[in-house]
Amino acid sequence: MGSITLITGGARSGKSSYAQRLALERSDRPVYLATSRVWDQEHRLRIERHRADRGPQWETVEEPKNLSRRDFRGRTVVVDCVTLWCTNFFYDFDSDVDRALDAVKSEFDRLAAQDVDFIFVTNEIGLGGVSTDPLQRRFTDLQGWVNQYIAQRAGSVVLMVSGIPIKVK
């Protein structure tokens, strides 16, 4: 059985950079499993910049939902990010939190069954208070429940604050 590390924190807290450093300490040829869909031209350019920043030692796999369809056995894999992954299910299921949560948990379980050193990156979007927007509240619920689900299965959980990793578990 592999291992699971969850790295969480706010926007621009240093989560992805930390995850990538950790992966490079564990492997000379890690996998970057990107879950983002391309939303617009600005987002496409951002994705291309991030891909170039990672360097040639990385194998990049782009998969917005069905992460377990690939065989990563024996590898170190950074899954970046859980928030965008949840977003894909949330929108595909017309904001139905229960369906999205069931689908994400099921897909996570299939993925985590592989003998892989996983590093999941996610956002703590609920720290800012309760939104006045009902759609945002539903997504915050989904994200929080998925984060809890992964954290319970993780051997290590790290909270990033202003670029500083704080070990939670």
Side-chain angles (χ1 to χ4, degrees), residues 124-148:
E124 286 296 331
I125 62 174
L127 291 174
V130 178
S131 174
T132 58
D133 181 89
L135 184 66
Q136 181 59 48
R137 286 194 306 268
R138 286 197 308 273
F139 184 77
T140 300
D141 289 347
L142 171 64
Q143 181 69 57
W145 288 325
V146 170
N147 285 352
Q148 289 179 51

PDB file of all heavy atoms in Angstrom, residues 124-148:
ATOM      1  N   GLU A 124      -8.140  25.298   1.645  1.00  0.00           N
ATOM      2  CA  GLU A 124      -9.025  25.479   2.791  1.00  0.00           C
ATOM      3  C   GLU A 124      -9.884  26.699   2.476  1.00  0.00           C
ATOM      4  O   GLU A 124      -9.544  27.820   2.834  1.00  0.00           O
ATOM      5  CB  GLU A 124      -8.215  25.702   4.071  1.00  0.00           C
ATOM      6  CG  GLU A 124      -7.552  24.475   4.606  1.00  0.00           C
ATOM      7  CD  GLU A 124      -8.530  23.399   5.052  1.00  0.00           C
ATOM      8  OE1 GLU A 124      -9.670  23.728   5.471  1.00  0.00           O
ATOM      9  OE2 GLU A 124      -8.161  22.218   4.975  1.00  0.00           O
ATOM     10  N   ILE A 125     -10.989  26.467   1.775  1.00  0.00           N
ATOM     11  CA  ILE A 125     -11.805  27.598   1.335  1.00  0.00           C
ATOM     12  C   ILE A 125     -12.818  28.041   2.378  1.00  0.00           C
ATOM     13  O   ILE A 125     -13.419  29.097   2.242  1.00  0.00           O
ATOM     14  CB  ILE A 125     -12.515  27.313  -0.007  1.00  0.00           C
ATOM     15  CG1 ILE A 125     -13.491  26.146   0.096  1.00  0.00           C
ATOM     16  CG2 ILE A 125     -11.483  27.074  -1.099  1.00  0.00           C
ATOM     17  CD1 ILE A 125     -14.324  25.931  -1.154  1.00  0.00           C
ATOM     18  N   GLY A 126     -13.000  27.258   3.435  1.00  0.00           N
ATOM     19  CA  GLY A 126     -13.990  27.599   4.453  1.00  0.00           C
ATOM     20  C   GLY A 126     -13.475  28.473   5.574  1.00  0.00           C
ATOM     21  O   GLY A 126     -14.224  28.798   6.496  1.00  0.00           O
ATOM     22  N   LEU A 127     -12.225  28.873   5.527  1.00  0.00           N
ATOM     23  CA  LEU A 127     -11.653  29.674   6.610  1.00  0.00           C
ATOM     24  C   LEU A 127     -12.129  31.123   6.604  1.00  0.00           C
ATOM     25  O   LEU A 127     -12.006  31.811   7.605  1.00  0.00           O
ATOM     26  CB  LEU A 127     -10.119  29.662   6.530  1.00  0.00           C
ATOM     27  CG  LEU A 127      -9.447  28.332   6.840  1.00  0.00           C
ATOM     28  CD1 LEU A 127      -7.953  28.426   6.588  1.00  0.00           C
ATOM     29  CD2 LEU A 127      -9.719  27.914   8.267  1.00  0.00           C
ATOM     30  N   GLY A 128     -12.683  31.571   5.494  1.00  0.00           N
ATOM     31  CA  GLY A 128     -13.042  32.975   5.356  1.00  0.00           C
ATOM     32  C   GLY A 128     -14.442  33.319   5.816  1.00  0.00           C
ATOM     33  O   GLY A 128     -14.897  34.435   5.634  1.00  0.00           O
ATOM     34  N   GLY A 129     -15.145  32.386   6.402  1.00  0.00           N
ATOM     35  CA  GLY A 129     -16.499  32.668   6.855  1.00  0.00           C
ATOM     36  C   GLY A 129     -17.526  32.062   5.928  1.00  0.00           C
ATOM     37  O   GLY A 129     -17.201  31.372   4.967  1.00  0.00           O
ATOM     38  N   VAL A 130     -18.784  32.319   6.213  1.00  0.00           N
ATOM     39  CA  VAL A 130     -19.889  31.749   5.441  1.00  0.00           C
ATOM     40  C   VAL A 130     -20.285  32.720   4.336  1.00  0.00           C
ATOM     41  O   VAL A 130     -20.575  33.887   4.589  1.00  0.00           O
ATOM     42  CB  VAL A 130     -21.099  31.464   6.366  1.00  0.00           C
ATOM     43  CG1 VAL A 130     -22.264  30.910   5.566  1.00  0.00           C
ATOM     44  CG2 VAL A 130     -20.699  30.505   7.480  1.00  0.00           C
ATOM     45  N   SER A 131     -20.302  32.210   3.116  1.00  0.00           N
ATOM     46  CA  SER A 131     -20.648  33.029   1.960  1.00  0.00           C
ATOM     47  C   SER A 131     -22.140  33.363   1.962  1.00  0.00           C
ATOM     48  O   SER A 131     -22.970  32.586   2.433  1.00  0.00           O
ATOM     49  CB  SER A 131     -20.301  32.271   0.679  1.00  0.00           C
ATOM     50  OG  SER A 131     -20.739  32.979  -0.458  1.00  0.00           O
ATOM     51  N   THR A 132     -22.478  34.491   1.387  1.00  0.00           N
ATOM     52  CA  THR A 132     -23.886  34.848   1.208  1.00  0.00           C
ATOM     53  C   THR A 132     -24.472  34.178  -0.036  1.00  0.00           C
ATOM     54  O   THR A 132     -25.674  34.166  -0.215  1.00  0.00           O
ATOM     55  CB  THR A 132     -24.049  36.381   1.069  1.00  0.00           C
ATOM     56  OG1 THR A 132     -23.271  36.826  -0.044  1.00  0.00           O
ATOM     57  CG2 THR A 132     -23.610  37.079   2.344  1.00  0.00           C
ATOM     58  N   ASP A 133     -23.616  33.596  -0.876  1.00  0.00           N
ATOM     59  CA  ASP A 133     -24.042  32.942  -2.108  1.00  0.00           C
ATOM     60  C   ASP A 133     -24.327  31.457  -1.844  1.00  0.00           C
ATOM     61  O   ASP A 133     -23.428  30.722  -1.402  1.00  0.00           O
ATOM     62  CB  ASP A 133     -22.953  33.090  -3.166  1.00  0.00           C
ATOM     63  CG  ASP A 133     -23.353  32.462  -4.475  1.00  0.00           C
ATOM     64  OD1 ASP A 133     -23.974  33.157  -5.300  1.00  0.00           O
ATOM     65  OD2 ASP A 133     -23.055  31.264  -4.659  1.00  0.00           O
ATOM     66  N   PRO A 134     -25.546  30.982  -2.119  1.00  0.00           N
ATOM     67  CA  PRO A 134     -25.884  29.583  -1.828  1.00  0.00           C
ATOM     68  C   PRO A 134     -25.051  28.575  -2.624  1.00  0.00           C
ATOM     69  O   PRO A 134     -24.716  27.509  -2.106  1.00  0.00           O
ATOM     70  CB  PRO A 134     -27.369  29.463  -2.172  1.00  0.00           C
ATOM     71  CG  PRO A 134     -27.759  30.725  -2.843  1.00  0.00           C
ATOM     72  CD  PRO A 134     -26.688  31.734  -2.638  1.00  0.00           C
ATOM     73  N   LEU A 135     -24.703  28.891  -3.852  1.00  0.00           N
ATOM     74  CA  LEU A 135     -23.873  28.002  -4.661  1.00  0.00           C
ATOM     75  C   LEU A 135     -22.492  27.851  -4.028  1.00  0.00           C
ATOM     76  O   LEU A 135     -21.960  26.748  -3.915  1.00  0.00           O
ATOM     77  CB  LEU A 135     -23.762  28.534  -6.095  1.00  0.00           C
ATOM     78  CG  LEU A 135     -23.011  27.657  -7.082  1.00  0.00           C
ATOM     79  CD1 LEU A 135     -23.761  26.349  -7.322  1.00  0.00           C
ATOM     80  CD2 LEU A 135     -22.812  28.395  -8.395  1.00  0.00           C
ATOM     81  N   GLN A 136     -21.924  28.961  -3.602  1.00  0.00           N
ATOM     82  CA  GLN A 136     -20.612  28.928  -2.949  1.00  0.00           C
ATOM     83  C   GLN A 136     -20.670  28.159  -1.628  1.00  0.00           C
ATOM     84  O   GLN A 136     -19.750  27.412  -1.299  1.00  0.00           O
ATOM     85  CB  GLN A 136     -20.078  30.341  -2.707  1.00  0.00           C
ATOM     86  CG  GLN A 136     -18.701  30.364  -2.054  1.00  0.00           C
ATOM     87  CD  GLN A 136     -17.648  29.638  -2.870  1.00  0.00           C
ATOM     88  OE1 GLN A 136     -17.534  29.848  -4.060  1.00  0.00           O
ATOM     89  NE2 GLN A 136     -16.878  28.782  -2.228  1.00  0.00           N
ATOM     90  N   ARG A 137     -21.755  28.309  -0.878  1.00  0.00           N
ATOM     91  CA  ARG A 137     -21.896  27.555   0.375  1.00  0.00           C
ATOM     92  C   ARG A 137     -21.923  26.056   0.109  1.00  0.00           C
ATOM     93  O   ARG A 137     -21.284  25.277   0.824  1.00  0.00           O
ATOM     94  CB  ARG A 137     -23.156  27.984   1.130  1.00  0.00           C
ATOM     95  CG  ARG A 137     -23.029  29.329   1.800  1.00  0.00           C
ATOM     96  CD  ARG A 137     -24.139  29.569   2.817  1.00  0.00           C
ATOM     97  NE  ARG A 137     -25.478  29.407   2.278  1.00  0.00           N
ATOM     98  CZ  ARG A 137     -26.214  30.391   1.750  1.00  0.00           C
ATOM     99  NH1 ARG A 137     -25.731  31.616   1.682  1.00  0.00           N
ATOM    100  NH2 ARG A 137     -27.439  30.151   1.295  1.00  0.00           N
ATOM    101  N   ARG A 138     -22.643  25.630  -0.941  1.00  0.00           N
ATOM    102  CA  ARG A 138     -22.705  24.207  -1.276  1.00  0.00           C
ATOM    103  C   ARG A 138     -21.323  23.688  -1.684  1.00  0.00           C
ATOM    104  O   ARG A 138     -20.927  22.601  -1.275  1.00  0.00           O
ATOM    105  CB  ARG A 138     -23.735  23.946  -2.382  1.00  0.00           C
ATOM    106  CG  ARG A 138     -25.165  24.050  -1.886  1.00  0.00           C
ATOM    107  CD  ARG A 138     -26.186  23.406  -2.807  1.00  0.00           C
ATOM    108  NE  ARG A 138     -26.135  23.812  -4.189  1.00  0.00           N
ATOM    109  CZ  ARG A 138     -26.763  24.880  -4.705  1.00  0.00           C
ATOM    110  NH1 ARG A 138     -27.489  25.663  -3.927  1.00  0.00           N
ATOM    111  NH2 ARG A 138     -26.668  25.154  -5.977  1.00  0.00           N
ATOM    112  N   PHE A 139     -20.607  24.485  -2.496  1.00  0.00           N
ATOM    113  CA  PHE A 139     -19.278  24.036  -2.898  1.00  0.00           C
ATOM    114  C   PHE A 139     -18.329  23.991  -1.703  1.00  0.00           C
ATOM    115  O   PHE A 139     -17.521  23.066  -1.580  1.00  0.00           O
ATOM    116  CB  PHE A 139     -18.689  24.906  -4.011  1.00  0.00           C
ATOM    117  CG  PHE A 139     -17.361  24.364  -4.461  1.00  0.00           C
ATOM    118  CD1 PHE A 139     -17.308  23.250  -5.285  1.00  0.00           C
ATOM    119  CD2 PHE A 139     -16.174  24.915  -4.010  1.00  0.00           C
ATOM    120  CE1 PHE A 139     -16.093  22.697  -5.662  1.00  0.00           C
ATOM    121  CE2 PHE A 139     -14.957  24.374  -4.384  1.00  0.00           C
ATOM    122  CZ  PHE A 139     -14.915  23.268  -5.215  1.00  0.00           C
ATOM    123  N   THR A 140     -18.414  24.950  -0.816  1.00  0.00           N
ATOM    124  CA  THR A 140     -17.569  24.950   0.385  1.00  0.00           C
ATOM    125  C   THR A 140     -17.834  23.698   1.217  1.00  0.00           C
ATOM    126  O   THR A 140     -16.897  23.085   1.749  1.00  0.00           O
ATOM    127  CB  THR A 140     -17.799  26.229   1.213  1.00  0.00           C
ATOM    128  OG1 THR A 140     -17.461  27.363   0.402  1.00  0.00           O
ATOM    129  CG2 THR A 140     -16.952  26.239   2.475  1.00  0.00           C
ATOM    130  N   ASP A 141     -19.114  23.315   1.331  1.00  0.00           N
ATOM    131  CA  ASP A 141     -19.447  22.074   2.038  1.00  0.00           C
ATOM    132  C   ASP A 141     -18.779  20.881   1.368  1.00  0.00           C
ATOM    133  O   ASP A 141     -18.136  20.053   2.031  1.00  0.00           O
ATOM    134  CB  ASP A 141     -20.961  21.854   2.066  1.00  0.00           C
ATOM    135  CG  ASP A 141     -21.702  22.814   2.971  1.00  0.00           C
ATOM    136  OD1 ASP A 141     -21.056  23.512   3.788  1.00  0.00           O
ATOM    137  OD2 ASP A 141     -22.944  22.870   2.862  1.00  0.00           O
ATOM    138  N   LEU A 142     -18.921  20.778   0.048  1.00  0.00           N
ATOM    139  CA  LEU A 142     -18.325  19.678  -0.695  1.00  0.00           C
ATOM    140  C   LEU A 142     -16.821  19.633  -0.458  1.00  0.00           C
ATOM    141  O   LEU A 142     -16.257  18.589  -0.108  1.00  0.00           O
ATOM    142  CB  LEU A 142     -18.623  19.816  -2.196  1.00  0.00           C
ATOM    143  CG  LEU A 142     -17.868  18.846  -3.116  1.00  0.00           C
ATOM    144  CD1 LEU A 142     -18.265  17.402  -2.842  1.00  0.00           C
ATOM    145  CD2 LEU A 142     -18.102  19.223  -4.575  1.00  0.00           C
ATOM    146  N   GLN A 143     -16.169  20.761  -0.628  1.00  0.00           N
ATOM    147  CA  GLN A 143     -14.716  20.816  -0.486  1.00  0.00           C
ATOM    148  C   GLN A 143     -14.280  20.422   0.925  1.00  0.00           C
ATOM    149  O   GLN A 143     -13.330  19.665   1.112  1.00  0.00           O
ATOM    150  CB  GLN A 143     -14.210  22.224  -0.813  1.00  0.00           C
ATOM    151  CG  GLN A 143     -12.705  22.364  -0.703  1.00  0.00           C
ATOM    152  CD  GLN A 143     -11.986  21.594  -1.775  1.00  0.00           C
ATOM    153  OE1 GLN A 143     -12.228  21.821  -2.946  1.00  0.00           O
ATOM    154  NE2 GLN A 143     -11.108  20.696  -1.396  1.00  0.00           N
ATOM    155  N   GLY A 144     -14.987  20.922   1.915  1.00  0.00           N
ATOM    156  CA  GLY A 144     -14.645  20.586   3.295  1.00  0.00           C
ATOM    157  C   GLY A 144     -14.788  19.107   3.590  1.00  0.00           C
ATOM    158  O   GLY A 144     -13.930  18.492   4.239  1.00  0.00           O
ATOM    159  N   TRP A 145     -15.870  18.502   3.094  1.00  0.00           N
ATOM    160  CA  TRP A 145     -16.080  17.068   3.328  1.00  0.00           C
ATOM    161  C   TRP A 145     -15.050  16.222   2.594  1.00  0.00           C
ATOM    162  O   TRP A 145     -14.575  15.219   3.123  1.00  0.00           O
ATOM    163  CB  TRP A 145     -17.499  16.675   2.937  1.00  0.00           C
ATOM    164  CG  TRP A 145     -18.526  17.196   3.901  1.00  0.00           C
ATOM    165  CD1 TRP A 145     -18.400  17.350   5.254  1.00  0.00           C
ATOM    166  CD2 TRP A 145     -19.833  17.655   3.572  1.00  0.00           C
ATOM    167  NE1 TRP A 145     -19.550  17.874   5.786  1.00  0.00           N
ATOM    168  CE2 TRP A 145     -20.453  18.066   4.782  1.00  0.00           C
ATOM    169  CE3 TRP A 145     -20.549  17.763   2.379  1.00  0.00           C
ATOM    170  CZ2 TRP A 145     -21.753  18.562   4.827  1.00  0.00           C
ATOM    171  CZ3 TRP A 145     -21.847  18.259   2.424  1.00  0.00           C
ATOM    172  CH2 TRP A 145     -22.434  18.651   3.642  1.00  0.00           C
ATOM    173  N   VAL A 146     -14.684  16.617   1.378  1.00  0.00           N
ATOM    174  CA  VAL A 146     -13.654  15.879   0.639  1.00  0.00           C
ATOM    175  C   VAL A 146     -12.305  16.023   1.344  1.00  0.00           C
ATOM    176  O   VAL A 146     -11.568  15.036   1.504  1.00  0.00           O
ATOM    177  CB  VAL A 146     -13.582  16.339  -0.833  1.00  0.00           C
ATOM    178  CG1 VAL A 146     -12.348  15.761  -1.529  1.00  0.00           C
ATOM    179  CG2 VAL A 146     -14.848  15.935  -1.578  1.00  0.00           C
ATOM    180  N   ASN A 147     -11.978  17.219   1.792  1.00  0.00           N
ATOM    181  CA  ASN A 147     -10.717  17.409   2.515  1.00  0.00           C
ATOM    182  C   ASN A 147     -10.667  16.518   3.759  1.00  0.00           C
ATOM    183  O   ASN A 147      -9.636  15.900   4.054  1.00  0.00           O
ATOM    184  CB  ASN A 147     -10.536  18.870   2.922  1.00  0.00           C
ATOM    185  CG  ASN A 147     -10.144  19.759   1.767  1.00  0.00           C
ATOM    186  OD1 ASN A 147      -9.861  19.293   0.661  1.00  0.00           O
ATOM    187  ND2 ASN A 147     -10.139  21.057   2.001  1.00  0.00           N
ATOM    188  N   GLN A 148     -11.779  16.453   4.498  1.00  0.00           N
ATOM    189  CA  GLN A 148     -11.822  15.602   5.690  1.00  0.00           C
ATOM    190  C   GLN A 148     -11.635  14.133   5.309  1.00  0.00           C
ATOM    191  O   GLN A 148     -10.915  13.389   5.997  1.00  0.00           O
ATOM    192  CB  GLN A 148     -13.157  15.763   6.416  1.00  0.00           C
ATOM    193  CG  GLN A 148     -13.313  17.099   7.103  1.00  0.00           C
ATOM    194  CD  GLN A 148     -14.667  17.205   7.789  1.00  0.00           C
ATOM    195  OE1 GLN A 148     -15.051  16.312   8.545  1.00  0.00           O
ATOM    196  NE2 GLN A 148     -15.382  18.278   7.512  1.00  0.00           N
TER     197      GLN A 148
END
